[in-house]
Amino acid sequence: DAHTVEALSEMGSIGRLSKGAEALAGSGIESVMWTSTSASFVLGLDGIRQQIDALEKILCVPASTTAMAFARAITAIDAKKVAIAATYPEDVAQRFRQFLNHFDIDVVHLSSRGIVTAAEVGNLGKEEVIDFAVANTREDADALLIPDTALHSAAWLTDLEQATGKPVLTANQVSFWEALRLCGKLTPQAGLGRLFEEVP
């Protein structure tokens, strides 16, 4: 579960994703997500397109990745400038910035917490996560991004938005938003942040 470019590239490899997708064949799913932010964006936009293409060909349903979900969610809430509170090491966090640049999203602040393993990220508690978010909120940012599916945050979205005074987009939140959007079942929900409250 290492947050290194090499390990993440292997984790998001087409061979590995294809094997997982094949296990879902015939299960009646209506969309499929590759829910690792970093193991998609480290491969760049072309790599993400290959991941999505492989999943769609195997399962014949719309597919996406958490990284793509971030890009679409930022657009959905009409955010032009964002701040990023990343748990990743610096080199991995910088690749997330590079990915967002493809969509003309202006990253006004990027923080790296430097945590190497997903297991360690999963041990961060509510107050630590809120403190980390507040420390990396910026006045000129339209939203705060917290891009790690290993981070517990879904239950704290209301608290995070109240503490930062901004819309907050987290990895698991945008993943489920994208999955529902892809199969046409996205409806407004309370307690899951502004992203889910402002569904068109």
Side-chain angles (χ1 to χ4, degrees):
D1 71 344
H3 283 150
T4 66
V5 171
E6 182 180 15
L8 291 166
S9 298
E10 170 56 29
M11 192 165 82
S13 66
I14 299 303
R16 190 170 180 277
L17 288 189
S18 296
K19 188 175 179 181
E22 286 162 4
L24 292 171
S27 62
I29 60 170
E30 296 176 47
S31 66
V32 62
M33 293 290 300
W34 167 226
T35 54
S36 171
T37 325
S38 52
S40 47
F41 70 67
V42 294
L43 299 171
L45 194 54
D46 287 342
I48 289 172
R49 286 173 174 150
Q50 290 171 20
Q51 291 175 331
I52 292 170
D53 186 56
L55 292 171
E56 290 186 339
K57 282 182 176 175
I58 292 167
L59 293 165
C60 300
V61 296
S64 189
T65 74
T66 302
M68 283 301 298
F70 266 108
R72 291 181 176 134
I74 292 164
T75 300
I77 63 170
D78 198 30
K80 308 298 183 190
K81 298 180 179 182
V82 300
I84 300 171
T87 50
Y88 315 124
E90 177 70 22
D91 60 334
V92 175
Q94 288 293 346
R95 289 198 180 209
F96 187 49
R97 180 204 291 268
Q98 292 164 13
F99 166 73
L100 294 176
N101 285 343
H102 287 290
F103 303 92
D104 296 324
I105 296 164
D106 185 6
V107 177
V108 298
H109 172 76
L110 171 63
S111 171
S112 164
R113 193 161 177 134
I115 299 177
V116 177
T117 68
E120 188 179 349
V121 170
N123 286 328
L124 294 174
K126 178 179 178 179
E127 294 309 315
E128 288 177 286
V129 173
I130 290 176
D131 288 348
F132 185 50
V134 171
N136 291 289
T137 303
R138 291 298 178 269
E139 188 63 37
D140 56 341
D142 301 318
L144 175 69
L145 316 184
I146 308 178
D148 193 336
T149 52
L151 187 73
H152 296 284
S153 60
W156 311 327
L157 280 161
T158 299
D159 299 300
L160 284 164
E161 292 195 336
Q162 287 177 348
T164 61
K166 302 279 183 181
V168 175
L169 300 179
T170 69
N172 294 314
Q173 171 206 34
V174 301
S175 295
F176 279 92
W177 175 87
E178 176 83 326
L180 290 166
R181 188 189 68 80
L182 286 175
C183 61
K185 294 187 175 179
L186 185 60
T187 57
Q189 303 289 329
L192 293 176
R194 207 170 310 178
L195 176 66
F196 272 90
E197 292 169 2
E198 299 180 356
V199 174

